[in-house]
Amino acid sequence: MTRLAARESPLGTFTQSLGRLPTLLRSMDPTWSLHSLAQLDAAFVAHHRITGFIWDIDGTLTAYHYRELLPEAVGPFGALRRIAGLGHVILSNAPEWRVRELAGMFPQLAVIRGYDQGGEVLSRRLLGDDDSWTAEELAARLAAGAVPLRKPSAELVRLAIAELGVDPSGVVMVGDQHFTDIAGANLAGIRSIKLRNPAASTFPRSIRVMQWIEAMLFRLRPGALRGSAGSR
Ligand SMILES: [Mg+2]
């Protein structure tokens, strides 16, 4: 596995996260924890003054690396897409090939990628067939040491907020994982929704083990026994 491939693997996410474990353990609490996407409807959006969503994909809207929405996500996600003035962007830790696939699957939604090149944060936007970077630019930047940012990077979440073009107070990040989606939202200072992953069985065993560890850590995290979760 190349160094870049290793960084882009789920195991890479996990091992990179270990060094930040104390921070992540303090950043795992979602604003809301929902059992199903159906609970996230127009009334929820209006009541909580939500103006933009940052979406995770795998385990949230699709099964692992599937090309179709989860059957139970089709109706609720379509209804959210039809709400006038509500913005949507995609932020995934998936590898490059999957990110390109996502741009094709959701041709009207921007897929945001972020890179750290020598301490400078660079933003890349894929929209359908359009890529804000040419293949040559991407290759040149990677060759020059640019490293993809991954959730829970606050800088990466801020790029997605900038793409939405709304006040951060109205933005909500939606995902199925505490260490990436929820911690990313908390580190960037925005609200979040933790969804149950309805397609856990489609994920590789190695990722499921990591998700189990994450769930255990969430239950045992500081403050958990005082019942502080999801009550905002
Ligand atoms: Mg996910």
Side-chain angles (χ1 to χ4, degrees), residues 18-19 23 34 81 112 163 188 217:
L18 284 180
T23 302
L34 302 182
R81 295 279 310 278
I112 298 301
E163 174 65 26
L217 288 171

Side-chain angles (χ1 to χ4, degrees), residues 50 59 77 85-86 118 124 130 140 157 177 179 197 201:
I50 298 169
F77 188 59
L86 184 62
R124 174 180 166 215
D130 290 332
V157 176
Q177 291 203 250
F179 273 176
N197 177 357
S201 63

Side-chain angles (χ1 to χ4, degrees), residues 78-201:
L80 290 170
R81 295 279 310 278
R82 289 191 292 275
I83 296 176
L86 184 62
H88 304 270
V89 299
I90 293 170
L91 206 56
S92 173
N93 274 355
E96 173 70 17
W97 70 265
R98 173 64 169 165
V99 167
R100 289 176 184 275
E101 184 172 77
L102 295 178
M105 286 164 54
F106 302 94
Q108 291 158 352
L109 301 190
V111 181
I112 298 301
R113 292 279 261 173
Y115 298 82
D116 181 322
Q117 185 173 343
E120 184 185 2
V121 175
L122 307 173
S123 181
R124 174 180 166 215
R125 175 179 185 267
L126 297 94
L127 184 65
D129 293 333
D130 290 332
D131 190 330
S132 65
W133 293 9
T134 65
E136 293 74 23
E137 285 170 338
L138 174 61
R141 285 170 177 149
L142 292 176
V147 175
L149 295 171
R150 300 172 60 79
K151 294 180 282 186
S153 159
E155 288 97 339
L156 179 63
V157 176
R158 287 191 198 105
L159 296 180
I161 297 169
E163 174 65 26
L164 284 166
V166 299
D167 192 274
S169 64
V171 178
V172 170
M173 189 134 136
V174 188
D176 65 305
Q177 291 203 250
H178 292 284
F179 273 176
T180 52
D181 309 306
I182 306 309
N186 285 332
L187 293 173
I190 62 170
R191 295 178 292 174
S192 62
I193 292 173
K194 165 73 171 71
L195 279 180
R196 184 185 63 90
N197 177 357
S201 63

Side-chain angles (χ1 to χ4, degrees), residues 56-60 176-177 181 203:
D56 173 56
I57 299 296
D58 291 301
T60 298
D176 65 305
Q177 291 203 250
D181 309 306
F203 281 64

Side-chain angles (χ1 to χ4, degrees), residues 1 10 20 27 33 37 40 42 45 61 65 76 78 80 98 106-107 111 142 145 156 198 202 209 212 218 221:
M1 196 185 280
R20 305 172 64 192
S27 309
S33 190
L37 193 60
L40 179 51
V45 168
L61 291 176
H65 289 179
L80 290 170
R98 173 64 169 165
F106 302 94
V111 181
L142 292 176
L156 179 63
T202 64
V209 168
W212 181 83
F218 180 67
R221 75 201 183 285

